[in-house]
Amino acid sequence: MFKEIISFFESIDPVWGALLATSFTWFLTALGASFVFFFKTMKRSVLDGMLGFTGGVMVAASFWSLLAPAIEMSEGEGFKKVLPSVVGFGLGALFLFVLDKFLPHLHINFKPSDKEGIDTGWHRTTLLVLAITLHNIPEGLAVGVLFGGVAAGIPEASIAGAVVLAMGIGIQNFPEGIAVSMPLRRQGLSRRKSFWYGQLSAIVEPIAGVIGAVAVTFFTPALPYALAFAAGAMIYVVVEEVIPETQQDKFTDIATLGFIGGFLVMMTLDVALG
C-alpha cells in the first residue's frame, strides 16, 4: 500500500503533491473534530494524553524529518555544515515568537484571563481556534518544503520522506481535532459549530504547504534553512504551547506517556518508511 502511495505522488507535480498531502492532514483534523457529533464530553485525562501525543510527534518530526535532512544536505564540514540549520531553526522559533506575541489566542486548557497576544474583545471560541492554527502553520510548511525539495531535484529530499511526514502529522492531527472540538462543545456551542471551528483550525496547513513548496522550488539553496525553520517553529509550539496545555490538571503523567508514544510512532515511521 505504501509503495502505491509513493508511486502516485511520484507521478504528479510535487507542488500538487504538497497540496494533496496537507489536505490529507487537514482531513484527519476534520475527522477528529467529527467526534463531537457522537460524544458531548471526553475525559480530561484522554484529552491531555492526546495533546501529549501531538507534542511527541512534533518533536520527533522536527529532528528525523527536518533537522537531520537539513544538516545532511548542507555543504562543508563542522560549523559551516550546521550553520544553515542553526540560522533556520532560530528564525523559525523567532517567527512563532512574534506571532505568539501579536496574534490574539487562548490555549485549550487555560482560563479566559490567560489569553495571549494583542488585547482584543474577540470571543473565546475565536481565540481557541487561533491558538490551534498557530500549531498548524509550521506543520503545513514542513510538508511543503520537503515536496519543494523534491521538485528542485535535491537528492536528500524524497517523496517517501515527505509522505511519511504528512502521515505523522496527520496521525497527530486526528486527536488534535478532538481536543479542539470537545472543549468548544463543553462551552455550549452546537455540535455543528464545534465541528466547524475544530476543522477550521487546520485549513491553514494546505495554504502553508503550497507556499513552502513553491518558495523552495524557486529558491533551491534555501531548502536547508526552510527545513530547519519549520523545525524551529514546531519546537517553539511544543515548548511554549502544547506541553503547558497538558500541565494544567492532575493528568501530567498521562500526558507525558502520550508524548513518549507520539515520539516513538513518528520516529518509527520516519526511520522505517522515510
Side-chain angles (χ1 to χ4, degrees):
M1 181 65 176
F2 183 71
K3 290 182 179 180
E4 285 77 9
I5 294 173
I6 298 302
S7 297
F8 168 75
F9 277 99
E10 287 176 342
S11 67
I12 63 175
D13 182 83
V15 176
W16 279 107
L19 177 61
L20 289 176
T22 48
S23 295
F24 166 75
T25 63
W26 161 80
F27 171 75
L28 286 185
T29 303
L31 190 62
S34 71
F35 269 49
V36 78
F37 290 112
F38 308 102
F39 306 96
K40 185 174 182 179
T41 60
M42 185 168 288
K43 291 183 178 180
R44 175 63 183 271
S45 58
V46 175
L47 291 175
D48 283 348
M50 289 179 175
L51 284 173
F53 181 88
T54 293
V57 170
M58 292 176 73
V59 169
S62 295
F63 176 74
W64 297 102
S65 298
L66 301 172
L67 276 178
I71 295 171
E72 184 180 350
M73 67 181 62
S74 299
E75 298 179 353
E77 297 179 357
F79 287 108
K80 184 178 179 181
K81 188 172 184 62
V82 77
L83 183 61
S85 296
V86 170
V87 172
F89 190 91
L91 289 175
L94 181 63
F95 173 71
L96 260 293
F97 171 80
V98 172
L99 279 183
D100 187 66
K101 293 302 178 186
F102 288 96
L103 183 67
H105 62 284
L106 176 67
H107 302 314
I108 293 174
N109 293 325
F110 282 64
K111 300 176 182 178
S113 58
D114 294 325
K115 64 183 180 180
E116 299 179 3
I118 296 174
D119 191 28
T120 177
W122 291 355
H123 194 273
R124 188 182 184 203
T125 300
T126 303
L127 297 176
L128 284 167
V129 173
L130 287 175
I132 301 300
T133 301
L134 279 176
H135 292 197
N136 293 324
I137 291 174
E139 294 171 5
L141 185 64
V143 175
V145 295
L146 273 178
F147 274 100
V150 174
I154 297 176
E156 292 84 359
S158 68
I159 289 291
V163 170
V164 167
L165 177 59
M167 289 171 57
I169 289 176
I171 289 171
Q172 63 95 19
N173 274 5
F174 177 77
E176 192 172 79
I178 298 174
V180 177
S181 61
M182 287 298 180
L184 295 178
R185 178 62 178 155
R186 280 205 310 269
Q187 290 179 34
L189 268 71
S190 67
R191 286 185 169 90
R192 183 174 296 179
K193 285 187 176 181
S194 298
F195 167 76
W196 172 254
Y197 286 120
Q199 63 82 31
L200 189 65
S201 64
I203 201 66
V204 70
E205 288 193 7
I207 299 171
V210 171
I211 291 174
V214 171
V216 171
T217 300
F218 280 100
F219 191 50
T220 304
L223 182 57
Y225 296 91
L227 290 172
F229 181 95
M234 288 174 71
I235 293 296
Y236 183 91
V237 165
V238 172
V239 175
E240 205 278 333
E241 298 183 14
V242 177
I243 292 177
E245 287 172 16
T246 67
Q247 305 299 304
Q248 301 299 307
D249 212 317
K250 58 185 179 181
F251 305 109
T252 56
D253 289 345
I254 294 176
T256 301
L257 292 175
F259 182 97
I260 298 299
F263 188 97
L264 291 175
V265 167
M266 188 64 220
M267 179 179 67
T268 302
L269 284 175
D270 201 288
V271 174
L273 301 177

